[in-house]
Amino acid sequence: MNIRTFVLLFIFAGCAFRASAEETMISKPAGREMTSGEAFKEAIRTGMAQGVLVGPEADRLKRETRSNELTLIQVEKGEVKDGGCQVLVMTLTQPNVPTRTGANAGNYVSKTRLTLCKDGSQPLVEVIGCSVGMANCMPQ
């Protein structure tokens, strides 16, 4: 895993951890602008959240991919594991990522599994997929 991927995952995991610890959950309709923390809260409450990612995470991803398009987020609630740990699967999509020469490489899509536990332990973060267009960006 390269350092950029690690930093992005660390930021998203921190937001997920904060979101799971908060007791008040505000619902936003699908397709609305939301931070990753709001998306995690919505998914925990309703089973799924999707919309346009805003805030520092979206800005950072746009800088990394050099795309000017809106960053899309989808979070789905998965199984509950032993000890009350909740699994969430987050998919980030950054459309129209340019190559270094300016051609369109396609969409950057990253899929991450987050396991959040009520005991306050550090969230478990696992990248389960990453691609840019048809190319795999997961380490081999």
Side-chain angles (χ1 to χ4, degrees):
M1 175 182 329
N2 67 33
I3 190 69
R4 290 180 187 170
T5 303
F6 178 77
V7 169
L8 286 172
L9 291 175
F10 183 76
I11 291 166
F12 288 120
C15 292
F17 182 71
R18 286 192 305 274
S20 69
E22 294 179 18
E23 293 185 27
T24 57
M25 297 184 189
I26 301 169
S27 174
K28 291 192 175 215
R32 297 237 358 231
E33 292 183 348
M34 60 181 64
T35 65
S36 57
E38 291 169 332
F40 292 127
K41 287 187 280 186
E42 171 95 7
I44 289 170
R45 190 176 72 71
T46 66
M48 188 177 100
Q50 60 184 8
V52 175
L53 182 67
V54 295
E57 298 98 345
D59 296 339
R60 190 169 293 111
L61 187 58
K62 285 180 182 183
R63 277 194 310 272
E64 292 292 324
T65 63
R66 300 177 320 277
S67 172
N68 293 322
E69 300 290 330
L70 296 175
T71 305
L72 307 176
I73 185 169
Q74 179 176 326
V75 180
E76 296 177 76
K77 186 175 177 180
E79 71 272 12
V80 176
K81 294 186 172 186
D82 293 336
C85 296
Q86 178 65 60
V87 174
L88 298 169
V89 177
M90 174 181 67
T91 304
L92 294 175
T93 304
Q94 184 66 58
N96 300 321
V97 173
T99 65
R100 298 245 183 243
T101 62
N104 186 349
N107 296 342
Y108 169 85
V109 179
S110 173
K111 196 167 194 174
T112 307
R113 181 182 301 120
L114 301 152
T115 303
L116 307 171
C117 298
K118 293 179 181 179
D119 66 4
S121 61
Q122 190 71 8
L124 176 64
V125 180
E126 178 186 6
V127 178
I128 55 178
C130 181
S131 63
V132 178
M134 299 301 290
N136 184 356
C137 54
M138 294 289 289
Q140 300 297 324

